[in-house]
């Protein structure tokens, strides 16, 4: 079996399908046996497309797509200068997912089975409140409290909000006043007033803060029993993260912006986070996310994968977390999987009491809908035969 060509399916800026923004670039890897594999990454399609066109296509075409580990290493060997975080790793991630999809279709098995089978029938998820910013403008009418009730009623027992981002952007993360602390706390208070401790609350900070501001915010959040504090500071200085960890009581969750097992190793060995958050479409694909999870498990740490992209990331994350023993919880965006992804792919499995289940078909179990390929603003570039 040989790889014959690679399609890069690239939504131009502003492309809409069924009125929704398309969040990602897809790759479709073709073989001489007519089997294709689907992969995805995001958010800078032109950069990732350039890497595949200029570097990886010639490495892959003519090769056996089932030699996933070898092909991963051959792609990685071409780009291993220090840092790695960038379009190159995102391109490897997209290709890797497509190769696992091919492996599944060749064997007639879902990806979770190829990884070693199920550790659970359905995956616990929390809702990232992507369409509800909960910053300065969004606390009227108890929006956060109402949403918490609605989520609990649907079986979802945890939610993530980022109410300090507004002031973080305004002050460039350099300071926070007591008045701004009170504003940031408001949605968290609304959730606790609405449902008590019945729902878990994750606080996301998008790496916006310096160390003293992060410590001040964490202390203010102590009465609210939060699930974790995510990316309070940028991810480039692990000693600074260690200082933060030494000065806050809550568990830290880090980080979708680290790539490969090598970057996660330092973080894990320093004992900084309690929750490890790789993104399959960024960290190096299913192959690498699995290694990161195993590395975390050697330190008795669970993973909580980042999942805030397109439908392939969503489904690949469900396959991986259906398999992995050391899963804490998987992120998801309710609006994406209830509305948006259905416009893009076939084969999604229904949500079961607020839990995610993998599609039934082999490989990923999903395919892009034909109308996606014909949609205005979608460009397809093919490299190969
Ligand atoms: Mg995050």
């Amino acid at each position: 079996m040989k790889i014959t060509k690679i399609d890069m399916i690239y939504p131009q800026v502003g492309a809409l399908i069924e009125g929704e923004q398309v969040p990602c670039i897809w790759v479709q890897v073709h073989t001489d046996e007519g089997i294709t594999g689907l992969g995805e990454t995001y958010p800078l399609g032109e950069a990732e497309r350039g890497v595949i066109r200029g570097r990886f296509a010639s490495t892959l075409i003519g090769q056996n797509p089932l030699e996933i580990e070898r092909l991963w290493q051959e792609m990685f060997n071409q780009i291993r200068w220090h840092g790695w975080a960038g379009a190159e790793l995102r391109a490897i991630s997209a290709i890797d997912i497509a190769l696992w999809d091919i492996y599944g279709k060749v064997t007639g098995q879902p990806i979770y089975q190829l990884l070693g089978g199920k550790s659970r029938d359905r995956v616990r998820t929390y809702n990232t409140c992507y369409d509800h910013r909960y910053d300065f403008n969004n606390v009227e009418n108890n929006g956060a409290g109402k949403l918490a009730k609605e989520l609990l009623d649907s079986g979802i027992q945890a939610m993530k909000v980022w109410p300090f981002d507004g002031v973080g952007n305004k002050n460039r993360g350099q300071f926070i006043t007591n008045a701004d602390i009170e504003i940031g706390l408001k949605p968290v208070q609304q959730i606790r007033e609405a449902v008590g401790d019945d729902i878990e609350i994750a606080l996301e900070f998008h790496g916006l803060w310096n160390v003293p501001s992060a410590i001040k915010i964490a202390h203010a959040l102590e009465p609210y029993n939060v699930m974790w504090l995510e990316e309070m500071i940028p991810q480039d200085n692990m000693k600074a993260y260690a200082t933060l960890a030494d000065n806050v009581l809550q568990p830290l969750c880090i980080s979708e912006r680290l790539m490969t097992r090598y970057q996660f190793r330092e973080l894990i060995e320093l004992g900084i986070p309690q929750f490890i958050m790789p993104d399959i479409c960024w960290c190096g694909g299913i192959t690498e996310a699995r290694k990161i999870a195993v590395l975390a498990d050697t330190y008795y740490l669970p993973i909580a994968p980042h999942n805030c992209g397109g439908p392939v990331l969503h489904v690949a994350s469900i396959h991986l977390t259906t398999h992995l023993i050391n899963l804490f919880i998987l992120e998801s965006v309710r609006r994406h999987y209830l509305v948006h992804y259905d416009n893009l792919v076939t084969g999604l499995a229904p949500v079961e009491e607020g839990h995610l289940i993998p599609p039934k078909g082999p490989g990923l179990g999903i395919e892009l809908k034909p109308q996606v390929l014909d949609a205005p603003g979608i460009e397809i570039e093919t490299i190969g035969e």
Side-chain angles (χ1 to χ4, degrees):
M1 191 176 198
K2 284 189 168 59
I3 296 171
T4 53
K5 61 178 181 176
I6 300 169
D7 296 330
M8 295 180 288
I9 302 159
Y10 172 53
Q12 293 163 350
V13 173
L16 299 174
I17 294 173
E18 305 283 337
E20 298 272 1
Q21 192 80 37
V22 181
C24 44
I25 174 179
W26 295 291
V27 299
Q28 202 141 239
V29 176
H30 295 257
T31 66
D32 58 354
E33 296 185 14
I35 291 174
T36 61
L38 182 63
E40 174 184 298
T41 191
Y42 63 114
L44 305 173
E46 295 217 34
E48 292 125 10
R49 194 162 67 147
V51 174
I52 293 170
R53 183 198 304 119
R55 283 279 179 161
F56 296 155
S58 59
T59 305
L60 295 164
I61 291 171
Q63 299 295 309
N64 181 349
L66 302 182
E67 295 174 3
I68 301 171
E69 186 76 16
R70 178 178 70 79
L71 293 176
W72 193 101
Q73 197 62 45
E74 291 196 7
M75 287 187 284
F76 187 60
N77 284 349
Q78 296 178 47
I79 55 120
R80 52 190 315 179
W81 46 80
H82 183 71
W84 305 322
E88 295 91 341
L89 247 298
R90 296 195 295 273
I92 290 180
S93 302
I95 298 286
D96 179 81
I97 295 167
L99 298 184
W100 278 94
D101 192 27
I102 291 172
Y103 181 22
K105 289 174 179 171
V106 168
T107 56
Q109 296 292 328
I111 289 171
Y112 68 77
Q113 186 60 55
L114 302 176
L115 292 167
K118 287 184 179 179
S119 293
R120 58 194 57 78
D121 289 328
R122 56 190 204 173
V123 173
R124 192 167 84 104
T125 189
Y126 67 90
N127 188 61
T128 281
C129 302
Y130 191 72
D131 297 318
H132 306 266
R133 287 191 56 85
Y134 295 128
D135 53 22
F136 299 119
N137 304 318
N138 209 350
V139 292
E140 284 134 39
N141 306 318
N142 188 25
K146 284 179 188 162
L147 181 61
K149 277 187 179 159
E150 191 186 315
L151 291 171
L152 282 172
D153 287 345
S154 72
I156 296 170
Q157 293 163 344
M159 64 194 289
K160 183 157 92 186
V161 293
W162 42 97
F164 293 91
D165 275 21
V167 66
N169 285 315
K170 186 179 73 176
N171 298 346
R172 298 195 180 95
Q174 297 305 309
F175 67 95
I176 184 163
T177 64
N178 294 333
D180 282 339
I181 290 267
E182 289 305 315
I183 292 170
L185 289 176
K186 194 73 186 164
V188 181
Q189 291 164 342
Q190 288 179 342
I191 294 166
R192 285 285 171 255
E193 281 162 17
V195 300
D197 279 338
D198 287 354
I199 203 159
E200 299 263 22
I201 310 171
L203 267 289
E204 158 75 285
F205 297 91
H206 293 115
L208 284 172
W209 294 98
N210 62 16
V211 170
S213 303
I215 292 170
K216 182 172 178 175
I217 295 168
H219 287 176
L221 282 164
E222 279 173 15
Y224 301 99
N225 188 23
V226 303
M227 182 164 77
W228 69 52
L229 305 176
E230 177 176 333
E231 286 202 312
M232 291 203 89
I233 63 176
Q235 72 287 351
D236 300 314
N237 185 335
M238 291 303 153
K239 286 185 179 170
Y241 248 121
T243 302
L244 178 66
D246 285 343
N247 284 280
V248 303
L249 293 175
Q250 298 96 329
L252 300 181
C253 179
I254 314 166
S255 161
E256 71 220 40
R257 284 186 276 186
L258 295 175
M259 301 196 176
T260 78
R261 58 199 182 276
Y262 304 110
Q263 291 190 344
F264 277 93
R265 178 198 62 80
E266 184 183 11
L267 174 78
I268 291 168
E269 288 186 348
L270 286 170
I272 295 165
Q274 293 182 27
F275 302 104
I276 305 298
M277 180 173 265
D279 181 312
I280 292 176
C281 284
W282 290 343
C283 74
I286 293 169
T287 299
E288 196 65 7
R290 183 194 202 187
K291 291 176 182 176
I292 292 163
V294 171
L295 174 64
D297 191 45
T298 66
Y299 284 75
Y300 313 118
L301 294 174
I303 69 157
H306 182 250
N307 173 26
C308 203
V312 177
L313 172 61
H314 182 65
V315 167
S317 299
I318 296 173
H319 278 286
L320 183 68
T321 54
T322 294
H323 161 68
L324 286 173
I325 284 289
N326 60 324
L327 170 70
F328 181 72
I329 197 165
L330 174 61
E331 179 173 31
S332 58
V333 180
R334 204 168 51 139
R335 178 170 173 76
H336 285 177
Y337 62 75
L338 291 182
V339 181
H340 186 31
Y341 297 158
D342 263 337
N343 296 327
L344 302 175
V345 296
T346 58
L348 290 169
V351 181
E352 202 177 84
E353 295 170 334
H355 290 64
L356 303 174
I357 50 180
K360 283 205 165 62
L364 290 166
I366 59 168
E367 297 290 344
L368 288 176
K369 287 187 168 175
Q371 61 261 39
V372 170
L373 304 180
D374 297 332
I378 296 286
E379 190 183 315
I380 304 176
E381 178 182 350
T382 299
I383 302 178
E385 70 178 19

